[in-house]
Amino acid sequence: MTALNLDRAWDLHPQVSVRPEPFGALLYHFGTRKLTFLKDRRLLAVVQALATAPTARAACSAAGVDDEDMPRYGQALAALTRSSMVVERNRIP
Amino acid sequence: MTASPQTSGPAPGATRLVDLFEHGLDAPICLTWELTYACNLSCTHCLSSSGRRDPRELTTQEAKAVIDELEAMQVFYVNIGGGEPTVRADFWELLDYATAHHVGVKFSTNGVRITPEVARRLARNDYVDVQISLDGATAEVNDAVRGAGSHATALRAMRNLADAGMTGFKLSVVCTRHNIPQLDEFKALADRHGAQLRLTRLRPSGRGADVWDELHPRPEQQRQLYDWLVAHGDTVLTGDSFFHLSAYGQALPGLNLCGAGRVVCLIDPVGDVYACPFAIHDEFLAGNVRRPGGFTGVWRESELFRSLREPQTGGACASCAFYDTCKGGCMAAKFFTGLPLDGPDPECVQGHGERLLARRPKDRGHLPKPSGDHSHRTTPARGRGPVDVVLARRPDRDRPPVGDCVEHPLAGMVLPRDGD
C-alpha cells in the first residue's frame, strides 16, 4: 500500500459528509455513493485538520500523531484518496 | 433491504464495517421513507400494498420536522418511496428541504412525473439520486407485473433523465423468474441511458405475498443470478438484497448483513417506524414519529430495535457451514412465508427453506397479513363509458322527501285534501 505525499496540502472532497462515531467515524461520499469508515478517533482528528493545515504532516502533528505512527496514518490517508474521499487541495475539480 | 449503501473497503485497519454494524449505530446510515401509499399503479408484488392515500399521512410540516431530526442525527440520506412519492403535492418541496438540510435523497419512482423539465431540475441537484422501477426489460414481462403502459412510462423517464444530462441514476429491478433471463438486457438498457443497474430481491411482503409462489426465482435461477452478480461485481448495485446467496461460495459485493433496526429502518406514510421496508407488520413496529421523543426516541429506545441489535444465535441454522456468510437470510421473507425467524430463509440455497415450505399446510390462512392494505378497491377502469342510472320513486313515500336545504316555510306541511 503506497502512502500519500505528506508534504502536500489535502482536504476532504467537498461532497463527503463525516459522521463521528464512538469507534471513529463514518464517511459518505455523495458523488460516488460510497460509504467508508475511520477506525479511530485520532484519524478523524487528522481528517478534520486537513482543511486548515498547510500539509498532511502538519494535520497529523496537530492531531497528536507522533513520527513513529506517521507512515501508518499516511497509508490510511492514501486509502481515502483512492476512494476519492480525500483529494489534494487546489486540485479539486 | 433496499436501503443499504454501497460499501467500499475500510480506510485503515482490520475491523470490518459489517462487524461494527451488527450491534447497531446511534443513528441509521440511511432509511426508507414511504411518503404516501397513494399510487397510480397497482403492481402485483407491491411491498406496501399501495394504491390509496391514507388520510392520516404526515403533513408537510410533520415531514419537515422528521427531516430536521434526520439532519441532527446526521443520517446521510433517505430512500424515499411509496406508493408513488411524486404524486404527493409537496414532494418537490420536501426533496428541496431535505437536501438543503444535508440529508441526501434517493427516490424510487415509476417515472410518471419525470417530465423533461423535472429531469433537468433533478440533474442540477448533486444530492439527489433517482431510481426508476422496471421489472421487465420488455413491455410484455414488465407490464404483466406493473400494469399496462408502465414499461413505456419508465423508459420515457429514463430518456428524459439521460437527455437532461443526469448520469448514474438507477434502473431498479425486482428479480423474478420471468426477468432473470433478461439480466443482460437490463444491463444494456442501463448502460445505454448512462444509468446503473440495481437488482433487488422479490420479498413476500405486502401484495408480494400473494404472488410470491408464482414469481420468486426457481432454485436454478438463483444460481444463475448469483453467477451473474459475481461476474458483474461492482458495476451492479444490490444493497444487501442477496446476502442469502453468499452461501453458494464467495460473498457478493454490498453489505452482507441484515441491517434492519441496526443501520436502516422504515418510516411509513403515517409516521409508523418499522424495522425494515419489507416488514410492515405489528410484529416489527417500533413506534411512531408523532409521539414524544420523535424518530430519535424510536431509533434509540425501542425495545424491538434493541433486541435486533443483540447477537443473533442462528437457531436451526447455527450448525450450517454457511451460517457465517448468509446469517440465516431475510427476516421478513421468513416471517411472511410462515417460517420460524431463527431458521433458514425460504430461498436458502442449500434447500433447507424449500423443505420447510413444502411442509406448510396447503391453506395459506395461517400466514401473517401485513398491517395495512391500501390497494385500489378495484383495478383501474379499462375505459370510461356511460354509466347506466335508473331513476325511480321510492315506494314508501307518497311525496318528495324533505331535506335540510328546503327552506320553504310550508315544507313538510300536509295540507287537507279537497272534500275532507
Side-chain angles (χ1 to χ4, degrees):
Chain A
M1 202 188 283
T2 52
L4 90 175
N5 188 337
L6 285 168
D7 298 311
R8 287 181 185 266
W10 300 82
D11 196 1
L12 276 169
H13 190 284
Q15 273 184 283
V16 169
S17 181
V18 178
R19 187 169 105 183
E21 293 285 342
F23 56 79
L26 285 169
L27 269 60
Y28 183 72
H29 193 309
F30 281 94
T32 62
R33 310 267 164 200
K34 292 213 177 197
L35 182 78
T36 190
F37 73 109
L38 308 181
K39 80 155 198 174
D40 65 65
R41 296 295 290 227
R42 181 156 291 166
L43 182 57
L44 171 63
V46 170
V47 162
Q48 287 172 329
L50 285 174
T52 52
T55 63
R57 192 181 300 280
C60 287
S61 299
V65 176
D66 58 28
D67 288 350
E68 194 189 331
D69 279 341
M70 201 66 82
R72 203 161 62 79
Y73 281 83
Q75 283 176 2
L77 289 173
L80 291 171
T81 61
R82 281 194 292 277
S83 53
S84 305
M85 295 281 179
V86 166
V87 289
E88 200 167 344
R89 224 189 300 161
N90 309 324
R91 290 201 187 176
I92 295 167
Chain B
M1 69 210 42
T2 54
S4 301
Q6 191 189 3
T7 54
S8 63
T15 320
R16 297 180 311 159
L17 203 50
V18 62
D19 299 323
L20 297 169
F21 287 176
E22 198 145 17
H23 306 288
L25 298 173
D26 285 348
I29 289 170
C30 60
L31 55 89
T32 302
W33 188 357
E34 318 283 36
L35 267 188
T36 180
Y37 284 124
C39 191
N40 54 311
L41 299 182
S42 296
C43 303
T44 60
H45 61 352
C46 182
L47 297 169
S48 53
S49 303
S50 283
R52 290 169 291 130
R53 183 180 168 276
D54 189 308
R56 300 164 302 157
E57 225 166 60
L58 296 181
T59 63
T60 307
Q61 282 317 309
E62 285 174 318
K64 285 183 177 174
V66 170
I67 294 167
D68 292 342
E69 277 197 81
L70 301 182
E71 181 186 20
M73 293 174 91
Q74 286 196 274
V75 172
F76 292 120
Y77 61 92
V78 287
N79 292 288
I80 293 182
E84 171 54 44
T86 62
V87 304
R88 249 189 89 131
D90 57 4
F91 176 74
W92 308 107
E93 179 184 349
L94 293 175
L95 185 150
D96 288 342
Y97 188 84
T99 57
H101 286 76
H102 313 105
V103 178
V105 171
K106 277 187 197 182
F107 72 89
S108 294
T109 175
N110 56 46
V112 66
R113 293 278 162 91
I114 310 297
T115 60
E117 188 196 348
V118 164
R120 282 192 292 274
R121 177 179 174 167
L122 292 170
R124 283 197 297 270
N125 191 333
D126 283 344
Y127 292 85
V128 174
D129 197 10
V130 186
Q131 298 184 158
I132 305 289
S133 302
L134 188 74
D135 297 331
T138 53
E140 188 194 4
V141 171
N142 178 78
D143 292 7
V145 170
R146 303 185 57 83
S150 57
H151 183 270
T153 303
L155 260 70
R156 189 200 52 167
M158 288 179 68
R159 268 197 309 277
N160 290 343
L161 289 170
D163 290 348
M166 180 125 180
T167 53
F169 66 91
K170 310 299 178 289
L171 169 60
S172 194
V173 175
V174 175
C175 293
T176 68
R177 69 178 60 166
H178 304 299
N179 69 24
I180 283 182
Q182 300 182 317
L183 292 175
D184 288 331
E185 288 172 70
F186 282 121
K187 179 78 168 60
L189 187 62
D191 290 346
R192 214 158 51 233
H193 289 83
Q196 191 173 17
L197 182 58
R198 175 175 178 271
L199 299 175
T200 61
R201 182 177 177 191
L202 173 75
R203 303 297 207 295
S205 313
R207 285 195 296 269
D210 305 332
V211 293
W212 189 80
D213 286 340
E214 300 101 73
L215 288 185
H216 79 90
R218 297 176 196 284
E220 68 277 12
Q221 290 183 314
Q222 295 219 96
R223 180 74 216 201
Q224 189 188 341
L225 173 61
Y226 172 80
D227 290 339
W228 197 90
L229 289 172
V230 168
H232 292 83
D234 283 335
T235 64
V236 174
L237 298 176
T238 58
D240 61 357
S241 271
F242 299 113
F243 66 93
H244 66 296
L245 299 182
S246 294
Y248 277 128
Q250 69 183 93
L252 294 166
L255 183 63
N256 285 292
L257 172 83
C258 168
R262 293 169 166 149
V263 296
V264 299
C265 68
L266 167 79
I267 302 178
D268 92 343
V270 301
D272 281 338
V273 182
Y274 293 92
C276 97
F278 313 115
I280 304 182
H281 187 279
D282 286 350
E283 195 92 2
F284 302 103
L285 177 60
N288 188 290
V289 302
R290 281 177 163 139
R291 296 209 196 104
F295 172 73
T296 317
V298 177
W299 180 263
R300 294 188 181 154
E301 309 298 334
S302 136
E303 279 189 33
L304 171 72
F305 285 179
R306 283 172 184 230
S307 70
L308 290 172
R309 295 165 194 162
E310 296 288 316
Q312 310 290 311
T313 57
C317 294
S319 59
C320 176
F322 301 101
Y323 179 70
D324 267 355
T325 42
C326 98
K327 308 266 184 193
C330 171
M331 184 175 75
K334 292 188 254 199
F335 183 75
F336 286 115
T337 50
L339 299 187
L341 295 188
D342 61 351
D345 187 284
E347 294 181 291
C348 164
V349 300
Q350 302 296 315
H352 301 311
E354 247 175 301
R355 280 193 283 282
L356 289 182
L357 289 176
R359 276 191 239 143
R360 295 180 307 170
K362 279 268 175 284
D363 171 30
R364 294 285 185 262
H366 67 291
L367 295 180
K369 293 273 170 285
S371 291
D373 184 0
H374 316 277
S375 305
H376 293 290
R377 286 203 181 85
T378 56
T379 51
R382 303 247 174 244
R384 293 182 196 280
V387 177
D388 291 332
V389 178
V390 178
L391 295 177
R393 173 162 275 192
R394 277 174 61 168
D396 58 330
R397 303 252 188 189
D398 59 356
R399 57 196 162 74
V402 176
D404 290 342
C405 57
V406 177
E407 288 177 351
H408 192 280
L410 298 181
M413 186 179 201
V414 180
L415 297 172
R417 275 185 252 156
D418 287 341
D420 275 2

